[in-house]
Amino acid sequence: MIGGDWWNEGQAVTGAVRLANGSRWDSAWIQLLEVYEYREVGVFYFAEEVHSLTFPSPWLKQCPTVYEVSRAKDRARVAESFESYEESFARELEHFHDCVVNGTECRTPPEQARLDMDVLTRMFLKAGSGR
Amino acid sequence: MRTQVREAVGADSPAVITAFEGAFLGSLVHDVNLVHGLLERLGERCRPR
């Protein structure tokens, strides 16, 4: 864990992790209740490619999740975009239902949840609690 | 919940509860979990130090 912070009475948080391979992972969550806007984006930056995954607001119907890959080709930027209308939030609930009803192995088992909690707690502790 | 937050991070003011329980553990957790899943697919394990 190399960084963490929170501000605005806890309505905004951030954290940074150094991965074993030397790359850096930055996360931020910011809530602005007066703004009617929702953005959730994950981006992976590699030397030759950039991959991004953009989720729509879970309250909107028929909005696609967009996966985009861009790379250089013939001295130009080439980008491919994939749109899926299989709502990720609905699929999450369907998988949970499948786990409960049919005993399907959960993609996010308790061990994963424990690791998530550990990372998030370390982010908070890195920031300190004095605000 | 205040007790759990205090045990985890040593403080339990309203702002700490909002930040730690609400923002970190309740909201950012979804994205942290997503990144963990993607890193696993890439063969990159995350173990905080």
Side-chain angles (χ1 to χ4, degrees):
Chain A
M1 195 62 54
I2 57 175
D5 197 12
W6 60 273
W7 64 99
N8 193 27
E9 298 298 314
Q11 302 288 327
V13 301
T14 185
V17 177
R18 179 77 64 200
L19 300 179
N21 69 2
S23 57
R24 177 181 167 119
W25 162 17
D26 285 287
S27 289
W29 180 87
I30 298 169
Q31 181 165 258
L32 301 171
L33 293 176
E34 303 301 317
V35 180
Y36 294 93
E37 183 169 315
Y38 182 96
R39 294 186 191 183
E40 185 174 7
V41 185
V43 186
F44 278 67
Y45 299 90
F46 299 96
E48 295 93 10
E49 297 178 339
V50 176
H51 297 242
S52 69
L53 195 56
T54 304
F55 294 95
S57 165
W59 294 280
L60 296 178
K61 297 292 183 186
Q62 296 303 307
C63 278
T65 298
V66 181
Y67 170 54
E68 187 177 82
V69 185
S70 66
R71 58 179 67 87
K73 183 180 180 183
D74 299 331
R75 300 176 62 79
R77 175 180 180 266
V78 178
E80 284 183 288
S81 184
F82 306 83
E83 295 186 356
S84 172
Y85 286 84
E86 290 185 76
E87 294 179 7
S88 54
F89 302 100
R91 291 184 65 198
E92 186 178 21
L93 292 174
E94 287 167 0
H95 176 61
F96 181 65
H97 180 269
D98 200 31
C99 293
V100 174
V101 174
N102 300 316
T104 300
E105 185 178 355
C106 184
R107 295 192 198 105
T108 52
E111 297 75 22
Q112 181 67 64
R114 192 174 295 119
L115 178 60
D116 292 345
M117 296 294 113
D118 188 30
V119 167
L120 291 158
T121 301
R122 287 167 188 261
M123 283 178 178
F124 181 88
L125 292 174
K126 195 74 176 177
S129 58
R131 293 291 185 282
Chain B
M1 185 175 65
R2 286 188 64 178
T3 303
Q4 288 178 309
V5 170
R6 188 169 58 249
E7 285 180 3
V9 299
D12 61 358
S13 70
V16 164
I17 290 175
T18 299
F20 182 62
E21 187 275 333
F24 275 107
L25 300 188
S27 298
L28 191 60
V29 63
H30 298 96
D31 303 292
V32 165
N33 191 256
L34 167 69
V35 172
H36 275 146
L38 292 172
L39 288 173
E40 189 175 335
R41 291 293 184 95
L42 292 169
E44 184 64 32
R45 290 283 186 169
C46 177
R47 288 287 178 270
R49 290 173 291 178

